Amino acid sequence: MKKTVAILFGGESSEHEVSCVSAANVAENLDTELYDAILVGITKDGKWWIFRGSTDDLRNHVWQDKRALLSPAVISPCKAHHGLLALDGASGSFEIIRVDVVFPVLHGKNGEDGTMQGLLELAGLPYVGCDTYSSAVSMDKAATKTVCADAGIPVVPFTAAYDTCDVEALIDSVEKKYSYPMFVKPANAGSSVGITKAKSNEELRNGIALAFEHDKKLLIEPNTVGREIEVAVCGNRRPFASVCGEIRPNSDFYDYETKYVNDKSECLAPAPLDEGVAEEIRTLAVKVYTALGCSGLSRVDFFLTENGAFLNEINTIPGFTPISMYPKMMACIGIEYKDLITKLLQLAEGVE
Ligand SMILES: Nc1ncnc2c1ncn2[C@@H]1O[C@H](COP(=O)(O)OP(=O)(O)O)[C@@H](O)[C@H]1O
Ligand SMILES: [Mg+2]
């Protein structure tokens, strides 16, 4: 019997477009002998639709305009439904569409931060990736580092503050601890949105205001000089790490422009590293994953400095396009894209 997978895509975050491209690739690479897919799109303003069009429409960001191919549907939190409620606006009736497993290909706010995972827990639906707690802690860069530091993992130093803080006192305190440049970032965000590399008191002040536009909590960190090394981790109770990968932004830092707009950055997999160093970072990545209680998958990002590797952040639903680092690094250890999708769906259903 084939299983039905609901692939959730789009969403309300700044990474909506990346999610659509990732989801198109996930859908195209589903093992059709094992699974049937239902595409469930969420618009930027939070409306849910079943989409019956092509994956090219996702990739070209035109799916929302194809009204004839859209029908309203939501995940029911009622366990008895075990799936989607397809709504008929005209009659007010609904049809239950049973779902076996959910693949939330959603990044950032309301997708990767535990909110969607909470709904899927209520619904009693198995889903790919981390649970509610792990997703929420991993989304918050300060909480992530607090938990990991407690587990003995070296983390990039940081000062966290809420928007209720005394900004003058905050500036005073970080200027005493760190020298410029400093990084200011929202605690819960992604894609480098709202991040400033502040080179002066004025830029720090503006950076703080900008970060608070994106989140009520922020982090200020000293500039960490080093290489940006990433590791893909997969598994539930027995997680394993891929090879290390490396991002070379080839610009001031890996900002939104460098990530998605210009072509300057390089993404290397495997990263050119000494075997011993690579092994240490891979081990550290699994330690991070375990400390945060992750399951399914996550990408763990470090800075490799003269003094060793320091955790920067973790992404529990990393990019899944063919050029994304997570599938690239997994392919380096022999897990091709298609097999990776099957593996993640099996992990969601508890098969390890
Ligand atoms: N403390 C830091 N020192 C040096 N560079 C940093 C620091 N924090 C962030 N960066 C740069 O900014 C980029 C984005 O920051 P990151 O914390 O990874 O946020 P995001 O979740 O948006 O990817 C990093 O890839 C790196 O290039
Ligand atoms: Mg990052």
Side-chain angles (χ1 to χ4, degrees), residues 332-352:
C332 289
I333 57 164
I335 305 176
E336 294 302 333
Y337 195 100
K338 204 177 181 112
D339 298 330
L340 182 59
I341 304 296
T342 305
K343 178 150 193 72
L344 292 172
L345 288 167
Q346 287 173 342
L347 285 170
E349 294 192 276
V351 181
E352 183 130 29

Side-chain angles (χ1 to χ4, degrees), residues 5 15 19 38 41 77 89 114 122 163 170 207 211 217 220 249 251 269 289 351:
V5 185
E15 291 147 293
S19 156
I38 302 176
L122 291 175
D163 60 4
L170 174 65
K217 185 178 178 189
I220 301 175
S251 62
Y289 192 90
V351 181

Side-chain angles (χ1 to χ4, degrees), residues 215-346:
D215 192 12
K216 63 178 186 209
K217 185 178 178 189
L218 60 65
L219 283 80
I220 301 175
E221 301 174 355
N223 181 36
T224 307
V225 181
R227 293 166 65 183
E228 296 197 38
I229 305 294
E230 309 191 332
V231 184
V233 184
C234 179
N236 291 344
R237 301 182 70 83
R238 293 191 303 276
F240 61 92
S242 68
V243 295
C244 295
E246 179 169 11
I247 302 289
R248 294 190 181 161
N250 297 326
S251 62
D252 194 25
F253 72 98
Y254 200 34
D255 57 4
Y256 188 88
E257 231 0 67
T258 320
K259 274 182 187 169
Y260 303 116
V261 184
N262 67 39
D263 246 355
K264 281 202 256 168
S265 62
E266 292 168 84
C267 303
L268 310 177
L273 288 172
D274 278 356
E275 195 45 51
V277 176
E279 194 52 38
E280 264 173 46
I281 302 176
R282 293 174 68 238
T283 305
L284 211 49
V286 174
K287 206 168 163 188
V288 169
Y289 192 90
T290 308
L292 293 164
C294 295
S295 49
L297 78 162
S298 285
R299 197 193 71 221
V300 190
D301 299 353
F302 298 94
F303 291 114
L304 178 58
T305 74
E306 279 179 349
N307 302 315
F310 292 82
L311 175 68
N312 175 35
E313 62 155 345
I314 179 166
N315 289 281
T316 53
I317 309 184
F320 240 86
T321 71
I323 58 157
S324 297
M325 283 301 266
Y326 190 92
K328 263 172 79 171
M329 292 189 285
M330 279 294 168
C332 289
I333 57 164
I335 305 176
E336 294 302 333
Y337 195 100
K338 204 177 181 112
D339 298 330
L340 182 59
I341 304 296
T342 305
K343 178 150 193 72
L344 292 172
L345 288 167
Q346 287 173 342

